[in-house]
Amino acid sequence: MKIATLNKGKETKYLNQYPLVNEDDIYQHDHLKEGDLFHLVTEDNRYIATAYVGRQHKGLGWVLSYDQNEDINTPFFVKLFKQALEEREYYRNIEGTNAYRLFNAEGDGVGGLTIDNYNGHLLIQWYSRGMYKFRYNVIEAIQQVFDFSSIYEKMRFKDSEYTGGHVLGDTPEFPIVIEENFTFYNVYLDDGLMTGIFLDQKEVRKKLRDQFSEGRKILNLFSYTGAFSVVAAKHAKHTTSVDLANRSRALTEENFGLNAIDPKSQYIYVMDTFDFYNYAARHGKEYDTIVIDPPSFARNKKKTFSVQKNYDDLINGALEVLAPNGSLLLCTNSSVFPLKSFKNVIKSTLENAGVEYEIKEVMGLPKDFKTHPHYKPSKYLKAVFINIKH
């Protein structure tokens, strides 16, 4: 077993079970290669943890165990998968939902690895080349613990010529249809990094439907496949979905059709969000609920967007087309944009705009996206519902 010695004074956070091993905390690490297991030790050679090399975020790798004698092998993954499955008993028995996360990286004990269940079709996502080196053990353990019709995988790390594909079981025709909160969505496990749905937003979508949709005109920005629009449409007056990607229109129309909603009864625009704001303002359009769920970073021909630098522009643009006493749903999945900072941006933007507002609800990840108690970035999702009084 290789050894990584911590620089003096760096041991405290790891003794407190911080899971991401930072390169700067280690005295020397050029002997460590992707996929290597190593013991993390203090300068006086005291054992702290067993970790693996899998470069991700700003880390060298992730802690796997605090037992010096524990082997990292198939039984290790079986143990963790069984525990994860037990903790998701709720989702195995709930009506109206058959897609959820089975294993959530560092939250369940293995940073760099997630497993999602899409109605019996499992998707493994590998977030580093180092984690991928444990592929045999992980797949063996999945077969011992989880029921499945098929297994697919996606590579989430750079410099991989192979992006993913079918691993085991049936080869279904895509899209497969999943159900979430009694609403249906198309899912693709064989098409690039995206699947067609972000499972971490399931509770936020339900809240939008149940409390912010009835009889309202809803604007869904960065709409992707229209999930927020689709869940709200049967309660709303109408929905408007806006996304810059050309393929978003067809994917959104298909999701409406799955739920017996005529796509022609809704509005879909393939446009940049800021261009749409200008268009809507020029035509006197107003919306009762506006959903803003942007990527953390985006670039098109005209501009670069970053949630930390430009979220205030999104809020100000929305205020121009928000109906009197309307609501905003403001989301970000940026792990480097903490909730406190996000709320500060929201508050300062609204106060500078001179509007009265009330924060109605602040939501994070659902239970199946288990977080790590000593690693704040694992709580990456923030969703804030706000009522604007004007």
Side-chain angles (χ1 to χ4, degrees):
M1 180 76 70
K2 291 188 175 182
I3 299 291
T5 304
L6 287 164
N7 290 319
K8 189 172 183 179
K10 296 293 185 182
E11 63 272 14
T12 306
K13 69 180 181 183
Y14 299 104
L15 288 168
N16 289 332
Q17 303 202 348
Y18 187 80
L20 184 67
V21 181
N22 193 307
E23 290 190 34
D24 295 339
D25 292 347
I26 293 174
Y27 172 65
Q28 198 174 11
H29 54 74
D30 53 3
H31 64 300
L32 297 172
K33 310 300 179 197
E34 284 286 304
D36 282 351
L37 288 167
F38 63 92
H39 283 166
L40 196 62
V41 300
T42 60
E43 60 172 350
D44 58 357
N45 208 34
R46 186 159 48 102
Y47 171 86
I48 294 178
T50 304
Y52 81 95
V53 181
R55 287 174 174 81
Q56 191 184 345
H57 306 308
K58 293 180 180 175
L60 171 70
W62 296 93
V63 170
L64 293 175
S65 175
Y66 296 95
D67 179 353
Q68 189 168 357
N69 299 312
E70 184 165 35
D71 292 323
I72 309 303
N73 52 17
T74 300
F76 169 81
F77 287 102
V78 166
K79 177 189 74 174
L80 291 184
F81 291 171
K82 282 182 175 176
Q83 188 177 326
L85 186 64
E86 197 175 300
E87 290 177 352
R88 287 155 178 85
E89 190 70 25
Y90 168 80
Y91 288 100
R92 293 166 68 193
N93 297 303
I94 189 175
E95 281 188 43
T97 295
N98 59 23
Y100 53 94
R101 179 148 290 186
L102 280 170
F103 190 87
N104 194 41
E106 67 275 5
D108 283 301
V110 182
L113 173 71
T114 64
I115 306 169
D116 293 317
N117 172 26
Y118 294 92
N119 192 21
H121 301 279
L122 305 191
L123 175 65
I124 309 167
Q125 297 188 88
W126 311 95
Y127 284 82
S128 69
R129 192 175 295 281
M131 187 69 247
Y132 190 66
K133 294 208 170 170
F134 293 92
R135 183 176 186 269
Y136 172 80
N137 300 117
V138 168
I139 290 169
E140 282 281 298
I142 285 173
Q143 291 179 83
Q144 290 184 41
V145 177
F146 301 127
D147 295 327
F148 60 88
S149 301
S150 71
I151 301 177
Y152 280 75
E153 64 184 352
K154 291 183 189 285
M155 312 297 126
R156 306 288 303 201
F157 53 91
K158 295 175 183 174
D159 309 322
S160 174
E161 290 179 14
Y162 169 60
T163 57
H166 179 259
V167 177
L168 277 176
D170 302 337
T171 49
E173 280 189 34
F174 289 105
I176 56 174
V177 176
I178 61 108
E179 187 178 10
E180 177 195 279
N181 295 317
F182 299 97
T183 306
F184 299 97
Y185 303 97
N186 280 329
V187 165
Y188 301 81
L189 303 184
D190 62 341
D191 183 21
L193 291 179
M194 304 293 234
T195 64
I197 189 89
F198 294 111
L199 295 179
D200 54 4
Q201 289 275 28
K202 64 170 74 65
E203 298 301 331
V204 180
R205 282 190 281 272
K206 184 174 185 293
K207 178 73 69 175
L208 174 73
R209 180 195 68 191
D210 293 348
Q211 295 185 24
F212 294 87
S213 297
E214 194 66 45
R216 298 191 184 197
K217 291 180 281 187
I218 293 178
L219 172 59
N220 177 17
L221 302 166
F222 307 95
S223 58
Y224 184 33
T225 60
F228 280 113
S229 305
V230 170
V231 78
K234 287 187 179 176
H235 301 264
K237 190 176 260 185
H238 61 70
T239 67
T240 299
S241 305
V242 180
D243 198 287
L244 187 57
N246 278 314
R247 63 185 302 204
S248 66
R249 179 188 293 278
L251 294 169
T252 300
E253 287 175 345
E254 287 167 12
N255 277 334
F256 278 129
L258 267 182
N259 291 277
I261 298 163
D262 182 358
K264 291 176 182 172
S265 68
Q266 312 297 315
Y267 299 92
I268 303 172
Y269 293 86
V270 178
M271 281 179 84
D272 170 80
T273 289
F274 293 102
D275 290 344
F276 181 81
Y277 279 153
N278 293 332
Y279 165 81
R282 279 199 317 271
H283 290 81
K285 295 179 182 293
E286 288 188 327
Y287 302 92
D288 303 298
T289 299
I290 300 178
V291 179
I292 304 177
D293 185 18
S296 297
F297 181 85
R299 179 186 284 122
N300 65 29
K301 290 174 185 174
K302 289 189 277 186
K303 61 174 83 73
T304 298
F305 172 85
S306 153
V307 290
Q308 286 170 289
K309 293 178 182 174
N310 306 114
Y311 213 109
D312 57 340
D313 296 332
L314 287 175
I315 296 170
N316 284 321
L319 292 175
E320 294 296 314
V321 294
L322 187 68
N325 301 311
S327 302
L328 300 176
L329 167 53
L330 307 177
C331 307
T332 178
N333 65 356
S334 172
S335 61
V336 295
F337 198 9
L339 177 59
K340 186 176 180 182
S341 302
F342 185 44
K343 285 172 82 172
N344 284 341
V345 167
I346 293 169
K347 288 174 180 177
S348 63
T349 306
L350 294 176
E351 284 163 10
N352 289 338
V355 297
E356 281 190 60
Y357 66 93
E358 181 186 4
I359 293 179
K360 294 299 290 182
E361 186 96 28
V362 178
M363 299 181 72
L365 290 163
K367 295 197 290 272
D368 51 325
F369 280 71
K370 186 179 176 184
T371 59
H372 192 290
H374 306 295
Y375 184 63
K376 286 182 180 176
S378 71
K379 298 174 181 171
Y380 62 85
L381 183 68
K382 282 77 64 176
V384 183
F385 288 88
I386 300 164
N387 285 344
I388 305 291
K389 301 165 185 175
H390 72 90

